[in-house]
mmCIF file with all atom_site columns, all heavy atoms in Angstrom:
data_model
loop_
_atom_site.group_PDB
_atom_site.id
_atom_site.type_symbol
_atom_site.label_atom_id
_atom_site.label_alt_id
_atom_site.label_comp_id
_atom_site.label_asym_id
_atom_site.label_entity_id
_atom_site.label_seq_id
_atom_site.pdbx_PDB_ins_code
_atom_site.Cartn_x
_atom_site.Cartn_y
_atom_site.Cartn_z
_atom_site.occupancy
_atom_site.B_iso_or_equiv
_atom_site.pdbx_formal_charge
_atom_site.auth_seq_id
_atom_site.auth_comp_id
_atom_site.auth_asym_id
_atom_site.auth_atom_id
_atom_site.pdbx_PDB_model_num
ATOM   1   N  N   . THR A 1 46  ? 7.660  2.895  22.912 1.00 98.00 ? 308 THR A N   1
ATOM   2   C  CA  . THR A 1 46  ? 8.496  3.481  21.844 1.00 98.00 ? 308 THR A CA  1
ATOM   3   C  C   . THR A 1 46  ? 7.863  4.751  21.320 1.00 98.00 ? 308 THR A C   1
ATOM   4   O  O   . THR A 1 46  ? 6.833  5.268  21.744 1.00 98.00 ? 308 THR A O   1
ATOM   5   C  CB  . THR A 1 46  ? 8.669  2.470  20.711 1.00 98.00 ? 308 THR A CB  1
ATOM   6   O  OG1 . THR A 1 46  ? 9.817  2.836  19.866 1.00 98.00 ? 308 THR A OG1 1
ATOM   7   C  CG2 . THR A 1 46  ? 7.477  2.220  19.869 1.00 98.00 ? 308 THR A CG2 1
ATOM   8   N  N   . CYS A 1 47  ? 8.564  5.338  20.333 1.00 98.00 ? 309 CYS A N   1
ATOM   9   C  CA  . CYS A 1 47  ? 8.210  6.584  19.818 1.00 98.00 ? 309 CYS A CA  1
ATOM   10  C  C   . CYS A 1 47  ? 6.961  6.436  18.800 1.00 98.00 ? 309 CYS A C   1
ATOM   11  O  O   . CYS A 1 47  ? 6.773  5.473  18.253 1.00 98.00 ? 309 CYS A O   1
ATOM   12  C  CB  . CYS A 1 47  ? 9.349  7.259  19.045 1.00 98.00 ? 309 CYS A CB  1
ATOM   13  S  SG  . CYS A 1 47  ? 9.088  9.013  18.453 1.00 98.00 ? 309 CYS A SG  1
ATOM   14  N  N   . SER A 1 48  ? 6.188  7.584  18.589 1.00 98.00 ? 310 SER A N   1
ATOM   15  C  CA  . SER A 1 48  ? 5.178  7.536  17.720 1.00 98.00 ? 310 SER A CA  1
ATOM   16  C  C   . SER A 1 48  ? 5.618  7.531  16.224 1.00 98.00 ? 310 SER A C   1
ATOM   17  O  O   . SER A 1 48  ? 4.865  7.349  15.281 1.00 98.00 ? 310 SER A O   1
ATOM   18  C  CB  . SER A 1 48  ? 4.255  8.732  17.864 1.00 98.00 ? 310 SER A CB  1
ATOM   19  O  OG  . SER A 1 48  ? 3.682  8.653  19.144 1.00 98.00 ? 310 SER A OG  1
ATOM   20  N  N   . ASP A 1 49  ? 6.959  7.727  16.030 1.00 98.00 ? 311 ASP A N   1
ATOM   21  C  CA  . ASP A 1 49  ? 7.589  7.795  14.702 1.00 98.00 ? 311 ASP A CA  1
ATOM   22  C  C   . ASP A 1 49  ? 7.021  6.731  13.763 1.00 98.00 ? 311 ASP A C   1
ATOM   23  O  O   . ASP A 1 49  ? 7.006  5.537  14.103 1.00 98.00 ? 311 ASP A O   1
ATOM   24  C  CB  . ASP A 1 49  ? 9.079  7.758  14.881 1.00 98.00 ? 311 ASP A CB  1
ATOM   25  C  CG  . ASP A 1 49  ? 9.793  8.166  13.563 1.00 98.00 ? 311 ASP A CG  1
ATOM   26  O  OD1 . ASP A 1 49  ? 9.580  7.613  12.506 1.00 98.00 ? 311 ASP A OD1 1
ATOM   27  O  OD2 . ASP A 1 49  ? 10.561 9.160  13.670 1.00 98.00 ? 311 ASP A OD2 1
ATOM   28  N  N   . ARG A 1 51  ? 8.286  5.462  11.304 1.00 98.00 ? 313 ARG A N   1
ATOM   29  C  CA  . ARG A 1 51  ? 9.176  4.572  10.718 1.00 98.00 ? 313 ARG A CA  1
ATOM   30  C  C   . ARG A 1 51  ? 9.464  3.363  11.597 1.00 98.00 ? 313 ARG A C   1
ATOM   31  O  O   . ARG A 1 51  ? 10.174 2.402  11.273 1.00 98.00 ? 313 ARG A O   1
ATOM   32  C  CB  . ARG A 1 51  ? 10.506 5.311  10.486 1.00 98.00 ? 313 ARG A CB  1
ATOM   33  C  CG  . ARG A 1 51  ? 10.415 6.450  9.509  1.00 98.00 ? 313 ARG A CG  1
ATOM   34  C  CD  . ARG A 1 51  ? 11.502 7.342  9.393  1.00 98.00 ? 313 ARG A CD  1
ATOM   35  N  NE  . ARG A 1 51  ? 11.630 8.191  10.736 1.00 98.00 ? 313 ARG A NE  1
ATOM   36  C  CZ  . ARG A 1 51  ? 12.494 9.144  10.825 1.00 98.00 ? 313 ARG A CZ  1
ATOM   37  N  NH1 . ARG A 1 51  ? 13.306 9.486  9.747  1.00 98.00 ? 313 ARG A NH1 1
ATOM   38  N  NH2 . ARG A 1 51  ? 12.499 9.826  11.985 1.00 98.00 ? 313 ARG A NH2 1
ATOM   39  N  N   . ILE A 1 52  ? 8.682  3.360  12.782 1.00 98.00 ? 314 ILE A N   1
ATOM   40  C  CA  . ILE A 1 52  ? 8.867  2.202  13.664 1.00 98.00 ? 314 ILE A CA  1
ATOM   41  C  C   . ILE A 1 52  ? 7.600  1.347  13.629 1.00 98.00 ? 314 ILE A C   1
ATOM   42  O  O   . ILE A 1 52  ? 6.567  1.882  13.798 1.00 98.00 ? 314 ILE A O   1
ATOM   43  C  CB  . ILE A 1 52  ? 9.125  2.697  15.064 1.00 98.00 ? 314 ILE A CB  1
ATOM   44  C  CG1 . ILE A 1 52  ? 10.333 3.571  15.136 1.00 98.00 ? 314 ILE A CG1 1
ATOM   45  C  CG2 . ILE A 1 52  ? 9.301  1.483  16.098 1.00 98.00 ? 314 ILE A CG2 1
ATOM   46  C  CD1 . ILE A 1 52  ? 10.406 4.275  16.480 1.00 98.00 ? 314 ILE A CD1 1
ATOM   47  N  N   . ASN A 1 70  ? 4.420  7.408  22.163 1.00 98.00 ? 332 ASN A N   1
ATOM   48  C  CA  . ASN A 1 70  ? 4.224  8.899  22.159 1.00 98.00 ? 332 ASN A CA  1
ATOM   49  C  C   . ASN A 1 70  ? 5.467  9.564  21.571 1.00 98.00 ? 332 ASN A C   1
ATOM   50  O  O   . ASN A 1 70  ? 6.471  8.832  21.271 1.00 98.00 ? 332 ASN A O   1
ATOM   51  C  CB  . ASN A 1 70  ? 3.911  9.451  23.573 1.00 98.00 ? 332 ASN A CB  1
ATOM   52  C  CG  . ASN A 1 70  ? 5.039  9.077  24.556 1.00 98.00 ? 332 ASN A CG  1
ATOM   53  O  OD1 . ASN A 1 70  ? 6.305  9.214  24.266 1.00 98.00 ? 332 ASN A OD1 1
ATOM   54  N  ND2 . ASN A 1 70  ? 4.678  8.612  25.718 1.00 98.00 ? 332 ASN A ND2 1
ATOM   55  N  N   . ALA A 1 71  ? 5.476  10.882 21.474 1.00 98.00 ? 333 ALA A N   1
ATOM   56  C  CA  . ALA A 1 71  ? 6.600  11.526 20.887 1.00 98.00 ? 333 ALA A CA  1
ATOM   57  C  C   . ALA A 1 71  ? 7.777  11.415 21.773 1.00 98.00 ? 333 ALA A C   1
ATOM   58  O  O   . ALA A 1 71  ? 7.780  11.799 22.953 1.00 98.00 ? 333 ALA A O   1
ATOM   59  C  CB  . ALA A 1 71  ? 6.323  13.057 20.679 1.00 98.00 ? 333 ALA A CB  1
ATOM   60  N  N   . GLY A 1 72  ? 8.897  10.776 21.320 1.00 98.00 ? 334 GLY A N   1
ATOM   61  C  CA  . GLY A 1 72  ? 10.082 10.585 22.076 1.00 98.00 ? 334 GLY A CA  1
ATOM   62  C  C   . GLY A 1 72  ? 10.126 9.484  23.014 1.00 98.00 ? 334 GLY A C   1
ATOM   63  O  O   . GLY A 1 72  ? 11.047 9.434  23.932 1.00 98.00 ? 334 GLY A O   1
ATOM   64  N  N   . ASN A 1 73  ? 9.132  8.570  23.057 1.00 98.00 ? 335 ASN A N   1
ATOM   65  C  CA  . ASN A 1 73  ? 9.101  7.441  23.973 1.00 98.00 ? 335 ASN A CA  1
ATOM   66  C  C   . ASN A 1 73  ? 9.403  7.840  25.395 1.00 98.00 ? 335 ASN A C   1
ATOM   67  O  O   . ASN A 1 73  ? 10.278 7.363  26.056 1.00 98.00 ? 335 ASN A O   1
ATOM   68  C  CB  . ASN A 1 73  ? 10.007 6.235  23.567 1.00 98.00 ? 335 ASN A CB  1
ATOM   69  C  CG  . ASN A 1 73  ? 11.387 6.638  22.963 1.00 98.00 ? 335 ASN A CG  1
ATOM   70  O  OD1 . ASN A 1 73  ? 11.582 6.765  21.771 1.00 98.00 ? 335 ASN A OD1 1
ATOM   71  N  ND2 . ASN A 1 73  ? 12.339 6.829  23.854 1.00 98.00 ? 335 ASN A ND2 1
ATOM   72  N  N   . GLY A 1 105 ? 14.159 3.468  22.004 1.00 98.00 ? 367 GLY A N   1
ATOM   73  C  CA  . GLY A 1 105 ? 14.349 4.702  21.316 1.00 98.00 ? 367 GLY A CA  1
ATOM   74  C  C   . GLY A 1 105 ? 14.818 4.379  19.910 1.00 98.00 ? 367 GLY A C   1
ATOM   75  O  O   . GLY A 1 105 ? 14.897 3.185  19.578 1.00 98.00 ? 367 GLY A O   1
ATOM   76  N  N   . HIS A 1 106 ? 15.007 5.430  19.088 1.00 98.00 ? 368 HIS A N   1
ATOM   77  C  CA  . HIS A 1 106 ? 15.352 5.099  17.681 1.00 98.00 ? 368 HIS A CA  1
ATOM   78  C  C   . HIS A 1 106 ? 16.138 6.142  17.039 1.00 98.00 ? 368 HIS A C   1
ATOM   79  O  O   . HIS A 1 106 ? 16.180 7.377  17.517 1.00 98.00 ? 368 HIS A O   1
ATOM   80  C  CB  . HIS A 1 106 ? 13.961 4.929  16.820 1.00 98.00 ? 368 HIS A CB  1
ATOM   81  C  CG  . HIS A 1 106 ? 13.269 6.238  16.657 1.00 98.00 ? 368 HIS A CG  1
ATOM   82  N  ND1 . HIS A 1 106 ? 13.405 6.972  15.567 1.00 98.00 ? 368 HIS A ND1 1
ATOM   83  C  CD2 . HIS A 1 106 ? 12.458 6.885  17.524 1.00 98.00 ? 368 HIS A CD2 1
ATOM   84  C  CE1 . HIS A 1 106 ? 12.615 8.055  15.627 1.00 98.00 ? 368 HIS A CE1 1
ATOM   85  N  NE2 . HIS A 1 106 ? 12.023 8.014  16.851 1.00 98.00 ? 368 HIS A NE2 1
ATOM   86  N  N   . ALA A 1 107 ? 16.807 5.792  16.036 1.00 98.00 ? 369 ALA A N   1
ATOM   87  C  CA  . ALA A 1 107 ? 17.765 6.685  15.265 1.00 98.00 ? 369 ALA A CA  1
ATOM   88  C  C   . ALA A 1 107 ? 16.910 7.885  14.774 1.00 98.00 ? 369 ALA A C   1
ATOM   89  O  O   . ALA A 1 107 ? 15.684 7.731  14.333 1.00 98.00 ? 369 ALA A O   1
ATOM   90  C  CB  . ALA A 1 107 ? 18.403 6.022  14.199 1.00 98.00 ? 369 ALA A CB  1
ATOM   91  N  N   . LYS A 1 108 ? 17.588 9.000  14.616 1.00 98.00 ? 370 LYS A N   1
ATOM   92  C  CA  . LYS A 1 108 ? 17.019 10.278 13.912 1.00 98.00 ? 370 LYS A CA  1
ATOM   93  C  C   . LYS A 1 108 ? 15.624 10.583 14.547 1.00 98.00 ? 370 LYS A C   1
ATOM   94  O  O   . LYS A 1 108 ? 14.752 11.008 13.858 1.00 98.00 ? 370 LYS A O   1
ATOM   95  C  CB  . LYS A 1 108 ? 16.835 9.996  12.475 1.00 98.00 ? 370 LYS A CB  1
ATOM   96  C  CG  . LYS A 1 108 ? 18.306 9.841  11.808 1.00 98.00 ? 370 LYS A CG  1
ATOM   97  C  CD  . LYS A 1 108 ? 18.091 9.697  10.312 1.00 98.00 ? 370 LYS A CD  1
ATOM   98  C  CE  . LYS A 1 108 ? 19.485 9.779  9.586  1.00 98.00 ? 370 LYS A CE  1
ATOM   99  N  NZ  . LYS A 1 108 ? 20.452 8.712  10.110 1.00 98.00 ? 370 LYS A NZ  1
ATOM   100 N  N   . CYS A 1 109 ? 15.529 10.458 15.934 1.00 98.00 ? 371 CYS A N   1
ATOM   101 C  CA  . CYS A 1 109 ? 14.287 10.770 16.634 1.00 98.00 ? 371 CYS A CA  1
ATOM   102 C  C   . CYS A 1 109 ? 14.167 12.334 16.602 1.00 98.00 ? 371 CYS A C   1
ATOM   103 O  O   . CYS A 1 109 ? 14.934 13.047 17.089 1.00 98.00 ? 371 CYS A O   1
ATOM   104 C  CB  . CYS A 1 109 ? 14.290 10.265 18.058 1.00 98.00 ? 371 CYS A CB  1
ATOM   105 S  SG  . CYS A 1 109 ? 12.777 10.635 18.924 1.00 98.00 ? 371 CYS A SG  1
ATOM   106 N  N   . GLY A 1 110 ? 12.986 12.813 15.987 1.00 98.00 ? 372 GLY A N   1
ATOM   107 C  CA  . GLY A 1 110 ? 12.795 14.184 15.947 1.00 98.00 ? 372 GLY A CA  1
ATOM   108 C  C   . GLY A 1 110 ? 12.562 14.828 17.317 1.00 98.00 ? 372 GLY A C   1
ATOM   109 O  O   . GLY A 1 110 ? 12.938 16.003 17.496 1.00 98.00 ? 372 GLY A O   1
ATOM   110 N  N   . ALA A 1 111 ? 11.909 14.097 18.271 1.00 98.00 ? 373 ALA A N   1
ATOM   111 C  CA  . ALA A 1 111 ? 11.790 14.667 19.590 1.00 98.00 ? 373 ALA A CA  1
ATOM   112 C  C   . ALA A 1 111 ? 13.016 14.873 20.275 1.00 98.00 ? 373 ALA A C   1
ATOM   113 O  O   . ALA A 1 111 ? 13.332 15.976 20.868 1.00 98.00 ? 373 ALA A O   1
ATOM   114 C  CB  . ALA A 1 111 ? 10.849 13.729 20.418 1.00 98.00 ? 373 ALA A CB  1
ATOM   115 N  N   . VAL A 1 112 ? 13.902 13.891 20.207 1.00 98.00 ? 374 VAL A N   1
ATOM   116 C  CA  . VAL A 1 112 ? 15.236 14.000 20.833 1.00 98.00 ? 374 VAL A CA  1
ATOM   117 C  C   . VAL A 1 112 ? 16.055 15.133 20.208 1.00 98.00 ? 374 VAL A C   1
ATOM   118 O  O   . VAL A 1 112 ? 16.809 15.926 20.825 1.00 98.00 ? 374 VAL A O   1
ATOM   119 C  CB  . VAL A 1 112 ? 15.982 12.688 20.830 1.00 98.00 ? 374 VAL A CB  1
ATOM   120 C  CG1 . VAL A 1 112 ? 17.348 12.824 21.453 1.00 98.00 ? 374 VAL A CG1 1
ATOM   121 C  CG2 . VAL A 1 112 ? 15.127 11.675 21.667 1.00 98.00 ? 374 VAL A CG2 1
HETATM 122 ZN ZN1 . LIG B 2 .   ? 11.132 9.578  17.724 1.00 79.86 ? 57  LIG B ZN1 1
#
Side-chain angles (χ1 to χ4, degrees):
T308 194
C309 188
S310 296
D311 194 298
R313 298 166 292 187
I314 303 171
N332 57 45
N335 41 266
H368 70 99
K370 296 182 171 57
C371 182
V374 176

